[in-house]
């Protein structure tokens, strides 16, 4: 038996959600087998002196190749999306497998496996989106799928083709309680949005910036409060996704203060964009149409506080990649179309980590340990992938990002690897970038280039959510 490691990463500083320490990392068979000083040799070695080594990011909210009933087509599939994620230091993605109404969940999951087959360069799991919770789905399909490693699912309170009513949400929550799964909720009041949208359109107020008026923070607050109440009635944990600001956060913080296990996620757009970004020249504001919409600078400050004080456990991209200059993307209905007909969502799978690192750790709004917890460890725990993913320890997958913390980068769409024709963060300067990225001990990204084969990523069965965070 060889006494050499397959790979040794020497001289780096390692940060986890709990610690910061200097150590070499010995890797064999894709797994970390030793952490220590002056480790014996490896067949290959990486010099990480002066670098920071973090667990590869876990992006627990992204959309790839997700068809929609409006005919829009996502620009990223399971090739370009995960590749772009890897260039940004992420080594695990958890996109959604969305059930079409009338479709069985089993058929939906098979469809998404076919879409992903042979494409992803990094490991991936799936959340389900439950849009049609029939007795068959709740009684048989979902319990079986949970046991097969699909232990989290999203439900919507808005969008006609996706939303559930309160009774249906209760039924899904009750199933999650029985089976030990985690329900994620998109919380916005659908009827209020429909009424506001109609009033705005009747008044001729259809430009992209009116999207923010049609989906106000109150509509998010109300649905967040209602969803938390439903979870309290059922007595089950729940996670509120893409929270945009203080109004919804107050509901979440109050629930947590009462001892309810309500978890929350936020995203780059809520710390870096505002509703003013929807008010650009011509139709350009459509680039920033997502739901909930970005709010104002006070909301940004609230979200930063929530990232620092534990209101948020997860920081995801909500990468929803619609090209701007495309008849199947943002301009689906033309570039004079009402905001109500613009596909919702913005890209961000590659910029998620550098943006939070630079603005959060660099500006001392959050600690380095919090950064790791929010972007890797907590999502791995909540979605049943820990400790295999989301940390650096002996026995875990060698999913690592080696950061140059001093590298100054001006973000531009040209340098990104998604298939979208814009980034909301064009010209933004960040300090710190992941320069070498490894997945199960294999170098995937180095020197600004891809070094691994399309399709090497493996599907991950998720275990039970770890709600003890
Ligand atoms: O606008 C957004 N967030 N689009 C993506 C779909 C979703 O609701 O997460
Ligand atoms: Zn959503
Ligand atoms: Zn989303």
């Amino acid at each position: 038996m060889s006494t050499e490691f397959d790979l040794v990463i020497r001289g780096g500083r390692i940060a986890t959600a709990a610690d910061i320490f200097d150590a070499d990392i010995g890797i064999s068979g894709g797994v970390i087998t030793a952490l220590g000083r002056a480790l014996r040799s490896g067949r290959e070695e990486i010099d990480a002196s002066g670098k920071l080594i973090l667990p590869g990011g876990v992006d627990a909210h992204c959309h790839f190749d997700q068809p929609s009933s409006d005919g829009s087509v996502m620009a990223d599939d399971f090739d370009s999306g995960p590749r772009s994620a890897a260039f940004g230091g992420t080594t695990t993605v958890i996109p959604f497998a969305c059930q079409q109404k009338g479709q069985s969940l089993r058929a939906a999951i098979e469809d998404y496996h076919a879409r992903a087959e042979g494409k992803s360069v990094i490991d991936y799991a799936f959340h389900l989106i439950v849009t049609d919770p029939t007795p068959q789905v709740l009684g048989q399909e979902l319990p079986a799928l949970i046991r097969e490693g699909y232990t989290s699912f999203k439900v919507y309170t808005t969008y006609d083709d996706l939303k559930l009513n309160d009774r249906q949400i209760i039924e899904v929550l009750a199933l999650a309680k029985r089976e030990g799964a985690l329900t994620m909720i998109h919380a916005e009041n659908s009827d209020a949005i429909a009424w506001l949208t109609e009033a705005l359109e009747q008044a001729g107020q259809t430009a992209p910036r009116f999207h923010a008026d049609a989906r106000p923070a109150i509509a998010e607050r109300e649905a967040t409060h209602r969803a938390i109440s439903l979870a309290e009635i059922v007595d089950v944990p729940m996670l509120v996704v893409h929270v945009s600001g203080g109004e919804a956060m107050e509901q979440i913080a109050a629930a947590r203060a009462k001892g309810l296990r309500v978890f929350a996620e936020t995203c780059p757009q809520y710390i870096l964009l505002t509703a003013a970004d929807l008010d650009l020249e011509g139709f350009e504001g459509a680039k920033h149409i997502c739901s909930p919409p970005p709010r104002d600078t006070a909301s940004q400050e609230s979200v930063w506080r929530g990232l620092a004080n534990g209101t948020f456990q997860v920081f995801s991209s909500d990468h929803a990649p619609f090209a701007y200059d495309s008849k199947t993307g943002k301009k689906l209905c033309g570039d004079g179309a009402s905001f109500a007909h613009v596909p919702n969502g913005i890209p961000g799978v590659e910029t998620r980590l550098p943006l939070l690192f630079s603005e959060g750790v660099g500006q001392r709004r959050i600690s380095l340990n919090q950064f790791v917890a929010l972007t890797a460890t907590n999502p791995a725990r909540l979605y049943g992938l820990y400790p295999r993913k989301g940390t650096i320890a002996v026995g875990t997958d060698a999913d690592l990002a080696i950061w140059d913390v001093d590298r100054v980068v001006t973000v531009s769409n040209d340098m990104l690897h998604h298939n979208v024709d814009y980034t909301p963060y064009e010209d933004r300067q960040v300090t710190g970038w992941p320069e070498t990225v490894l997945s199960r001990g294999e170098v995937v990204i180095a020197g600004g280039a891809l070094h691994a084969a399309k399709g090497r990523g493996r599907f991950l069965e998720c275990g039970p959510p770890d709600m003890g965070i």
Side-chain angles (χ1 to χ4, degrees):
M1 194 183 93
S2 166
T3 55
E4 277 189 327
F5 294 103
D6 293 346
L7 172 67
V8 175
I9 304 174
R10 281 195 200 279
R13 172 155 296 178
I14 296 168
T16 67
D19 299 301
I20 299 174
F21 55 98
D22 295 338
D24 303 336
I25 304 176
I27 298 166
S28 286
V31 169
I32 297 175
T33 52
L35 290 169
R37 304 254 186 182
L39 291 184
R40 63 182 187 273
S41 61
R43 268 190 294 283
E44 289 178 49
E45 303 231 347
I46 294 175
D47 178 10
S49 325
K51 308 288 183 202
L52 180 65
I53 308 177
L54 304 182
V58 177
D59 194 340
H61 188 153
C62 40
H63 306 263
F64 305 133
D65 199 10
Q66 186 178 315
S68 170
S69 60
D70 65 4
S72 57
V73 178
M74 288 191 166
D76 285 315
D77 63 5
F78 284 84
D79 176 16
S80 60
R83 185 171 62 234
S84 179
F87 272 99
T90 290
T91 51
T92 302
V93 284
I94 318 181
F96 293 89
C98 182
Q99 177 196 29
Q100 312 287 327
K101 281 200 200 290
Q103 186 187 35
S104 78
L105 269 184
R106 178 71 63 186
I109 208 74
E110 281 169 4
D111 176 18
Y112 280 84
H113 272 293
R115 290 169 189 272
E117 185 63 36
K119 292 206 175 125
S120 183
V121 74
I122 54 172
D123 293 349
Y124 59 98
F126 284 117
H127 306 291
L128 298 161
I129 293 176
V130 180
T131 64
D132 203 1
T134 61
Q136 165 78 8
V137 163
L138 293 176
Q140 285 155 46
E141 287 197 321
L142 200 42
L145 287 167
I146 291 167
R147 279 175 226 123
E148 289 171 34
Y150 308 91
T151 56
S152 49
F153 28 82
K154 182 176 176 185
V155 295
Y156 284 76
T157 57
T158 184
Y159 300 125
D160 289 343
D161 52 342
L162 300 174
K163 71 181 179 188
L164 304 188
N165 63 34
D166 290 354
R167 173 63 190 257
Q168 290 173 314
I169 292 171
I170 288 173
E171 303 279 8
V172 171
L173 288 166
L175 179 281
K177 181 177 179 179
R178 279 198 303 279
E179 302 291 338
L182 180 60
T183 308
M184 310 155 77
I185 190 143
H186 177 134
E188 290 183 292
N189 183 308
S190 194
D191 287 330
I193 291 167
W195 183 80
L196 286 164
T197 301
E198 211 174 290
L200 286 161
E201 287 188 321
Q202 275 169 11
Q205 297 180 320
T206 59
R209 71 187 163 96
F210 293 107
H211 174 80
D213 297 326
R215 305 184 90 103
I218 307 170
E220 185 186 357
R221 181 190 73 197
E222 185 282 327
T224 303
H225 178 85
R226 179 159 38 98
I228 290 170
S229 304
L230 301 182
E232 187 176 3
I233 287 165
V234 175
D235 186 22
V236 66
M238 186 187 64
L239 185 142
V240 187
V241 293
H242 47 48
V243 175
S244 73
E247 301 252 359
M249 285 171 59
E250 280 168 19
Q251 305 304 316
I252 293 156
R256 290 176 65 81
K258 273 170 61 176
L260 302 179
R261 280 178 300 164
V262 175
F263 304 105
E265 170 203 79
T266 193
C267 315
Q269 48 270 38
Y270 305 118
I271 50 172
L272 297 173
L273 303 180
T274 67
D277 290 297
L278 278 74
D279 191 13
L280 301 183
E281 191 66 26
F283 196 61
E284 294 261 323
K287 290 178 176 174
H288 302 130
I289 286 187
C290 60
S291 295
R295 309 268 180 216
D296 56 16
T297 51
S299 299
Q300 292 179 338
E301 288 310 314
S302 298
V303 173
W304 278 118
R305 271 196 299 281
L307 287 165
N309 71 17
T311 303
F312 293 112
Q313 293 71 45
V314 182
F315 187 82
S316 308
S317 68
D318 194 7
H319 181 79
F322 296 106
Y324 174 64
D325 205 6
S326 161
K327 281 279 176 204
T328 54
K330 293 288 185 182
K331 295 183 182 172
L332 185 70
C333 296
D335 57 9
S338 164
F339 65 84
H341 303 296
V342 175
N344 284 203
I346 60 177
V349 77
E350 190 167 341
T351 43
R352 172 184 76 119
L353 295 176
L355 290 170
L356 187 68
F357 186 87
S358 185
E359 290 293 324
V361 182
Q363 299 299 316
R364 300 182 187 280
R365 290 166 162 133
I366 57 171
S367 71
L368 182 56
N369 301 116
Q370 285 176 314
F371 174 84
V372 175
L374 287 158
T375 58
T377 315
N378 289 348
R381 292 181 75 156
L382 281 167
Y383 298 119
L385 294 171
Y386 185 86
R388 182 172 170 194
K389 305 294 188 187
T391 194
I392 297 176
V394 171
T396 68
D397 280 359
D399 286 10
L400 304 165
I402 305 176
W403 286 65
D404 178 348
V405 296
D406 298 318
R407 184 167 156 208
V408 177
V409 175
T410 302
V411 174
S412 76
N413 202 52
D414 289 350
M415 58 173 280
L416 300 178
H417 301 82
H418 59 197
N419 268 341
V420 186
D421 55 356
Y422 74 97
T423 168
Y425 310 108
E426 189 75 30
D427 287 335
R428 192 174 281 273
Q429 198 176 79
V430 298
T431 303
W433 200 272
E435 61 177 22
T436 304
V437 179
L438 296 95
S439 164
R440 283 181 276 104
E442 184 179 349
V443 173
V444 174
I445 307 294
L450 183 71
H451 288 263
K454 172 180 170 178
R456 65 163 293 286
R458 293 183 188 152
F459 167 67
L460 302 164
E461 288 178 14
C462 296
D466 172 359
M467 320 254 199
I469 63 172

